[in-house]
Amino acid sequence: MKLSEKRNIVVWFWSRLLIVLLFLLGLNEVYKQTLWSSDVQKYSRVRNRIDSAFSAGDVIYLGESSNTSFNPWTDTLNQSIGDFLQLYLGQNKKVEQITHEGYHPGLFLEMLNLTPDLNSVSGSKKTIVLGVNMRTCGPTAIFSGNEASNQREALFYSNRPPLLTRIYMGLHFYDNRNELERERLKVQWWRTRELPVKEKTVKLWNDKLARNFDSSMHPDVMHMAGAYIKEFGFIINDQNQRLLDLEKIALVCKQKNWNLVFHILPPNRYHAERLFGDKLLSIMDANYEFLKSKFKLWGVTVVDNYYLPEANQLNAENKGTFYTDQWYPTEHYNSVIRRAIAENIAKTMLNESPRSPNWQAIQSRVSGALQQNNYPNWSIVMPLSDSLIKTGIQR
Amino acid sequence: MPQKVRWVWMLAASYFFYGFWKIEFAALMLFTSLLDWFSARKLHQSSVKSVRLFWMWFAISIDLSLLFLFKYFDFALGKSWLAESMYDHSSTAWIIELGKYTIPAGISFYTFQSISYVVDVYRGDEIPENNPIKFMLFVSFFPQLVAGPIERFGKLHTQLFARYSPKLEDLKNGGRLLLYGLFLKVAVADNLAGVVDQFYQNHGNYTLASSWLATFMFTFQVYYDFFGYSLMAQGAGLLFGIDLMDNFNKPFLAGSVPEFWHRWHISLSTWFRDYIFIPVGGNRSGKLILSFSVLLVFFTSGLWHGANSTMIYFGLSQGILYLFDRFVVGRRGSENPYGLFLRRLKTGFFFMMTLVFFRGQSLDQSFDVYSMLIGNYDYTQKSLMHLTAEGQVWLFLFVGFVFDHFIMKKRADQWFGDQSLFLRWIVYLFMLTAVLLFGGAVNHPFVYFQF
């Protein structure tokens, strides 16, 4: 190549690059002033909440759908766990909630990274309360079809120039594996990851279930049983993606000098037991013990609600009905459990014993504030799966 | 970069690009390359026709078997006893899983490109490459690897190894093509995809007008998605001094279906012409053979587009319309401007209608949409939704179409080059703004990546 040609190329390249860079700088400003806020509203469901929640709140409740689940059949109260927590903590501590269905520790971590090291508005340390859903560590949640849109949303949890975020979104510069690829990974997990049961894997277990299905069983129960195996049939280990995210959350909170409370959401052990006896429960319980030991190791305050529905003596015959989804394993609770969870979190945060006069006063204040019967109306018949699975299925 | 290592660098970049996604699939491409290189050399070394035929068919059959395994296995087996029992055994379950969920990107493109080399050597049109590693570059050259254009050995191979020193003109044209292609893909096609997807996710709940709007928009989504990619492939190629072929030539100006396929996905159409249509009989052996050849080509083309019965319907319906235009419509109306306009409208309309099969997830959905389009649907049953497209979607579609079909007598890069600096940069910055601020937010991988 001739020297003059080389010089031409260099001059051409750098001059164009400079023009484009200047243009991008200007465009960033224009974008910030015009389209940015509508894009945030359109593509990031909680981005606008983050700044306000973290600057105004003493307690930040980070949750997924379990926070706000509401059973229109029986619930007389529709307060979220965070709302109940606010009632228990009183007006001296402002509880702010950031909640959306399908959110998981990976997204919460991005949010926490985004926020500056703010001190509490009332002078005390900020407290992060995070609901830990065991199923979030399983393949169904990790390879969920919603994950691409979650990851796109997470692009907005950043302080980078708005234009860059828009470019990342437009050019899909995030974990944008499509649903089919995620489905493949999920199925692969079910086929290859070993379980401490006779059937060895979720796939073989599910196959056996299908083979043993006969006409005396209700097809919906069969479907439900399959879902329970797929949702809870996994073993959490040290490499679990969500566990690593939780550990990073613990680290970030430590660095920012924030209190961190993990409260373990109770899975529907009742139906799991009815369907499979101890077989599935032993896996669930092992995961629970593993998580709890890790949280202790990281020095996180743990509110253990794992056995809460069973420990709750209310209407012992209908424990399964605490869960608003009767045909699928979810952590959606009616107000009895939502309130009880909040109560336990508050008790731990305030370091109160149940019998202390202070706590008794709080209890009566909360009951007074609610001014309603906080118990479900049992006379309404829910479409319960309960009666159908009383005899259990093939174990 | 020294001339001697330039091609090595391009090869490494190509394999890195492909293997980055899944290293196993890079190994598959390597296998295909070595197999075809070896077979072509073997057949070239022999003067016995049966031996030469053996090596050609040996290569083609293994190439097509691999294509079948990775692309059509799941479709062919469905929920058969064989599929079930293979999935029940841990040693074979991965094959079913692979077939069901993953297709190596661009496998149809590079397989066809590699097959064309073997056939060309068999026919004596090409002299085989001695160096297997150089041949690997012909199969894997990254700008056109995953979605074409399907290049012929004679054209691409010569350029890959020719002496080349970077030229300012190539950089300019390459950059323009990259930007223009990006604009068509990200600002036009992806925005159209957002509207079309809304309809197809819930097609039964939309009005009659909405079903027409979605069908209309999908036509341009597919076009600008693939045309945009092809331009970017050409642009990236030019940065290395490689001139890849034009894959589109204003297809909506075609007056007939046969002409349309001379203007749409040209590299695939010419591949089918040279390696299936003409060998089977082409248009020199009477109407019956011609009809058979056309239907065979379009059936194969449909199947090539995807392992789904909807794609076979798409291909066959295009084949039938091709024959209809050829035997019934003929050249009627092509002499006057009004007639020509109507012919173009008809051709575009034919294409648009057959694309319902292309887009439908299943035959049931496709036929449902056809029922909606002809009003054979109870629109009074429930409150129906209206499909709408935001202003910028229409603007970009309009700009893309006008640029592409009416203003430019030349290809985009050449037209841009002829304009004044001011006008040129106005257009560049408009396209850049459209890409950066209005790129479709939902991820829509290139439609042709799956083929």
Side-chain angles (χ1 to χ4, degrees), chain A residues 154-330:
Chain A
L155 284 177
F156 288 82
Y157 307 156
S158 161
N159 288 319
R160 70 173 81 84
L163 182 65
L164 204 54
T165 298
R166 187 63 182 81
I167 293 171
Y168 282 7
M169 183 171 75
L171 300 183
H172 317 298
F173 193 58
Y174 51 89
D175 176 9
N176 66 352
R177 284 175 293 183
N178 63 23
E179 268 186 64
L180 206 62
E181 173 63 3
R182 291 179 198 276
E183 182 75 12
R184 185 183 73 80
L185 293 166
K186 185 167 67 181
V187 171
Q188 192 182 46
W189 180 310
W190 288 336
R191 184 171 61 77
T192 55
R193 300 280 181 107
E194 287 212 3
L195 292 174
V197 291
K198 200 168 60 188
E199 292 81 0
K200 294 287 183 207
T201 63
V202 164
K203 181 189 177 295
L204 294 175
W205 195 351
N206 197 48
D207 288 350
K208 185 181 167 191
L209 191 72
R211 275 198 305 275
N212 291 338
F213 177 71
D214 65 49
S215 55
S216 66
M217 285 181 242
H218 194 285
D220 289 349
V221 175
M222 161 74 189
H223 175 75
M224 178 183 174
Y228 266 79
I229 297 174
K230 289 171 181 169
E231 291 282 349
F232 290 113
F234 61 89
I235 299 290
I236 305 174
N237 60 25
D238 284 324
Q239 278 75 50
N240 188 287
Q241 192 182 318
R242 300 286 199 249
L243 186 79
L244 296 173
D245 289 336
L246 287 168
E247 188 176 9
K248 283 180 198 154
I249 287 174
L251 268 175
V252 169
C253 287
K254 206 172 273 179
Q255 281 162 6
K256 297 195 181 222
N257 198 24
W258 290 343
N259 294 320
L260 177 64
V261 176
F262 282 164
H263 73 91
I264 300 174
L265 292 162
N268 196 335
R269 293 180 80 255
Y270 180 77
H271 279 177
E273 199 272 335
R274 283 293 185 91
L275 289 164
F276 298 104
D278 285 340
K279 205 161 157 182
L280 189 60
L281 275 189
S282 63
I283 295 174
M284 293 163 72
D285 293 351
N287 282 334
Y288 152 70
E289 294 291 350
F290 180 78
L291 285 177
K292 211 164 68 163
S293 67
K294 285 287 168 189
F295 298 162
K296 278 190 181 158
L297 192 71
W298 303 335
V300 177
T301 306
V302 180
V303 179
D304 186 357
N305 287 318
Y306 186 70
Y307 295 105
L308 184 73
E310 284 138 288
N312 200 307
Q313 291 307 304
L314 294 166
N315 206 323
E317 288 302 304
N318 290 290
K319 282 173 185 163
T321 59
F322 288 136
Y323 293 84
T324 62
D325 288 319
Q326 285 294 303
W327 293 99
Y328 201 83
T330 63

Side-chain angles (χ1 to χ4, degrees), chain B residues 174-231:
Chain B
R176 283 169 195 150
L177 285 173
L178 277 171
L179 178 61
Y180 185 42
L182 196 65
F183 168 73
L184 293 181
K185 162 65 184 160
V186 175
V188 185
D190 282 359
N191 274 306
L192 290 173
V195 181
V196 174
D197 284 0
Q198 265 182 57
F199 173 79
Y200 273 90
Q201 276 159 13
N202 214 346
H203 68 273
N205 288 340
Y206 281 97
T207 57
L208 176 69
S210 301
S211 55
W212 279 102
L213 179 67
T215 308
F216 171 80
M217 289 201 153
F218 182 63
T219 309
F220 290 98
Q221 181 203 330
V222 174
Y223 173 51
Y224 286 118
D225 187 284
F226 195 20
F227 182 37
Y229 175 82
S230 299
L231 289 173

Side-chain angles (χ1 to χ4, degrees), chain B residues 199-203 310 356 359-372:
Chain B
F199 173 79
Y200 273 90
Q201 276 159 13
N202 214 346
H203 68 273
T310 52
V356 173
R359 178 61 180 79
Q361 297 286 327
S362 63
L363 279 178
D364 281 350
Q365 191 185 38
S366 303
F367 286 124
D368 256 15
V369 174
Y370 279 124
S371 296
M372 294 175 75

Side-chain angles (χ1 to χ4, degrees), chain A residues 61-69 81 98-105 108 130-136 263 265 330-333:
Chain A
Y61 186 94
L62 302 174
E64 20 84 297
S65 52
S66 58
N67 183 32
T68 51
S69 56
I81 296 173
I98 301 176
T99 303
H100 202 283
E101 62 206 46
Y103 276 18
H104 55 73
F108 296 136
L130 195 152
V132 177
N133 184 335
M134 181 194 289
R135 283 188 310 116
T136 199
H263 73 91
L265 292 162
T330 63
E331 286 65 35
H332 295 169
Y333 318 105

Side-chain angles (χ1 to χ4, degrees), chain B residues 305-332:
Chain B
H305 278 88
N308 195 328
S309 44
T310 52
M311 288 300 185
I312 298 175
Y313 272 68
F314 164 70
L316 283 176
S317 55
Q318 275 295 315
I320 290 164
L321 291 170
Y322 184 107
L323 294 174
F324 173 78
D325 255 7
R326 172 110 188 195
F327 295 137
V328 180
V329 180
R331 298 197 53 77
R332 241 171 270 167

Side-chain angles (χ1 to χ4, degrees), chain A residues 107-134:
Chain A
L107 296 174
F108 296 136
L109 175 66
E110 299 282 342
M111 289 179 199
L112 293 174
N113 279 328
L114 169 71
T115 53
D117 303 358
L118 294 163
N119 287 320
S120 165
V121 283
S122 58
S124 61
K125 267 165 84 173
K126 221 171 259 299
T127 302
I128 309 296
V129 179
L130 195 152
V132 177
N133 184 335
M134 181 194 289

